Amino acid sequence: MIQRAGQAKVMPTSQRRATGHERQLADLYTKARLCISRREWDGALGCLEQIALAAPDYRDTQDLTMQVWYQARLSQAYNQGVECLNNADME
């Protein structure tokens, strides 16, 4: 930060951008975790994909993306199975 006599601290533009960028990533990560806790797999994947595009090595997003993708596929297969049972369609 740059401080001039009699003035408030001024953060260089590049630092402000970095801080804003980090805040956006943290917000997306928090939203992804919230979606996961609610089992909203598509929402979680959307957030994690945005993070991956902006910062591929951010926290544990690569592992988390694989886990969420797996849960989404598992949920989809389960729902299809339930639908088949409800329709008595075993093909």
Side-chain angles (χ1 to χ4, degrees):
M1 288 190 176
I2 301 169
Q3 185 173 7
R4 295 181 181 95
Q7 293 182 346
K9 294 180 181 179
V10 177
M11 189 182 308
T13 303
S14 62
Q15 278 187 317
R16 282 194 303 256
R17 273 192 227 120
T19 302
H21 181 69
E22 283 296 317
R23 190 173 307 123
Q24 283 181 316
L25 291 173
D27 288 347
L28 281 169
Y29 187 84
T30 299
K31 186 176 178 183
R33 285 287 190 178
L34 181 61
C35 287
I36 291 167
S37 70
R38 294 177 177 171
R39 297 177 185 249
E40 297 171 355
W41 309 124
D42 291 337
L45 283 172
C47 292
L48 292 167
E49 287 173 359
Q50 288 180 59
I51 294 169
L53 289 172
D57 295 327
Y58 188 77
R59 294 190 189 178
D60 62 343
T61 53
Q62 291 178 0
D63 290 336
L64 203 53
T65 300
M66 293 305 297
Q67 292 171 16
V68 170
W69 184 85
Y70 175 78
Q71 288 298 325
R73 297 286 296 155
L74 187 62
S75 179
Q76 181 183 26
Y78 175 81
N79 290 336
Q80 287 174 342
V82 168
E83 186 178 327
C84 286
L85 285 173
N86 289 337
N87 293 329
D89 180 11
M90 299 304 229
E91 291 184 47

